[in-house]
Structure formats: C-alpha cells, structure tokens
Amino acid sequence: MRAVPTWAVATAAAAPVLLVTGWTVAGARQPADYDPVRDTISELAGREATDSWIMTGVLLLFGACYLVIAAVLHAAGLPSRFLLAVGGVATIALIAFPRPTVGGSLAHGTVATVAVLALSLWPAGTALRLPRATAAGQPDPPWAFRRAVGLSVTALLLGLFGWFAFEVTGGSRAGLAERVTALAAALWPLLAVLSARRAQRAWVAGAAPPADLRRRVTAVRPGGRRSSRGPAPRRPGRLP
C-alpha cells in the first residue's frame, strides 16, 4: 500500500475551504439583488458578475486540487482516479464556458453536468472493482473505499444532484442546492485521503516486527553466531 503524502492531505483540505471562501467573498461583491439561496455559483464567474476573477480563480484552484488528489490517491484504483480527474478537468473547463447573464448555455450546462456526474460517481468506481473477500495476507481496503460506503456516497451525491436539477428547472433554491451539492462533493475526497492515510499507517504498523523480535535478530551475527563474548556452551559428552 502506497503512502499518502502530507501535502496531499493539505491539498484535499484546501478544496472545500477554497470553495466556501470563494463563493462567500465573490457573493459579497455582487449587487444587493444577488441571492445565494436563489442564484447559482456559476453566476459569480459569469461575464457580467462583479469581480468575476475571484470565482474564476477559485474554480481553477479547485479543479487543480482534484487533479492532484487523483494523481496520488493510489488506494482508490485507476477507474475512480480517472473519474476524479475528469471532474477536476471539467471544473476548470467551466472557466471557458461561463454562464450567460440571460438564458442558458448548452456548453456550460454540459460541462457542469460532466463535472458533477464524475465527482458523484468516482466513489462507486472503487467500490465496484473491489473483490468481495480480502485475500489472505492482504490489507483490508480503507473504509472510504469499501463497497457499501462507496455506493452509499455515490447515491447521496446523485440525490443531491437531482435536487439541484429540480431547483434549476422549477424551484427557487437553486443556489442553495448547488452549494450543498458542491460542498458534499468537495468534502468526500478529503475523507477518502484521510482514510487511505490511516489505513496505510495501520498496515505499516502491523507489518513491523515486534520490538523483542528485533532485539533478538540484532543479537545474532550473520552465520548464526551470537554477538555475546561469553563462554561457549558445553558440548554433550565432553569433560570441562
């Protein structure tokens, strides 16, 4: 099991902080008629938004965090890491397809849907590839990548995405639904990284020999001779 570096944990922790800080600061710069419960995050990076560079920069850094996590989270497996990377690329691509002030945008909607679906499905990608039983001598998968956990998280994220889609088409709380969905999707990579790091440390601790065994091994020289310089043991049948 490969180790998860400390800087990867910091990167995963920075993603939700960046997201919340970004939409809070950018929202405060908007006119008084902007309502975070009604209006979406995408509007903060739109062409007509005040200081749209704030949310644009956040989307860039936010997507980059996903790419970094996908590169180092080996415990997740290749399918899940690919989906997480797709989510990161699609998040960054939203910068190139901003939402117009009036009406919708097919390009923006398509890229946003790809981002949300990829970030919702990547937990299940690991869960579906895991064997039903752990082979003897192999470490158990981190708790975040177990089948029941991964499928449950994906079901939850898809349910939040369905709520957001409903609010966009006919509700009045699209901004709230989008923020809850985005925050949940941002928190799960952090929990997954922490889970992998904990499992790796537990596996290393369990694989290390006990302290008394290490002392006995170091007390014996190569070839089977002891390092002690005391008298040699007597052989049977010989007089002293």
Side-chain angles (χ1 to χ4, degrees):
M1 182 178 295
R2 297 189 184 184
V4 179
T6 303
W7 56 263
V9 179
T11 301
V17 175
L18 278 171
L19 187 63
V20 175
T21 303
W23 76 46
T24 301
V25 174
R29 298 292 298 165
Q30 305 310 308
D33 60 347
Y34 180 83
D35 185 1
V37 175
R38 181 193 64 225
D39 301 323
T40 63
I41 303 172
S42 301
E43 296 180 29
L44 299 175
R47 296 185 180 93
E48 302 300 326
T50 304
D51 293 335
S52 60
W53 61 268
I54 297 176
M55 204 62 212
T56 298
V58 168
L59 291 175
L60 177 61
L61 295 175
F62 188 60
C65 288
Y66 283 143
L67 293 176
V68 170
I69 297 170
V72 300
L73 194 57
H74 299 281
L78 189 58
S80 286
R81 293 167 63 195
F82 174 76
L83 287 173
L84 184 58
V86 169
V89 172
T91 300
I92 297 175
L94 288 172
I95 300 173
F97 303 100
R99 181 177 177 178
T101 306
V102 180
S105 170
L106 179 60
H108 177 84
T110 301
V111 174
T113 300
V114 170
V116 174
L117 287 178
L119 296 176
S120 300
L121 293 173
W122 83 271
T126 293
L128 293 176
R129 66 177 285 275
L130 289 175
R132 294 191 176 275
T134 304
Q138 296 295 325
D140 293 331
W143 65 266
F145 303 134
R146 294 171 186 171
R147 178 172 283 104
V149 175
L151 293 177
S152 299
V153 172
T154 290
L156 173 62
L157 294 176
L158 289 176
L160 291 175
F161 176 60
W163 175 36
F164 170 60
F166 169 79
E167 294 293 343
V168 168
T169 55
S172 59
R173 296 174 294 179
L176 176 62
E178 184 182 27
R179 283 164 171 79
V180 173
T181 303
L183 184 58
L187 287 174
W188 184 247
L190 173 60
L191 296 178
V193 167
L194 292 175
S195 172
R197 186 177 176 87
R198 180 180 179 182
Q200 191 272 335
R201 287 184 170 182
W203 179 74
V204 170
D212 57 341
L213 178 59
R214 291 198 298 268
R215 286 195 296 268
R216 290 198 298 268
V217 171
T218 55
V220 179
R221 293 180 178 179
R225 297 184 179 181
R226 294 181 176 271
S227 59
S228 174
R229 295 183 180 275
R234 298 179 181 178
R235 297 181 180 178
R238 295 188 61 181
L239 296 176

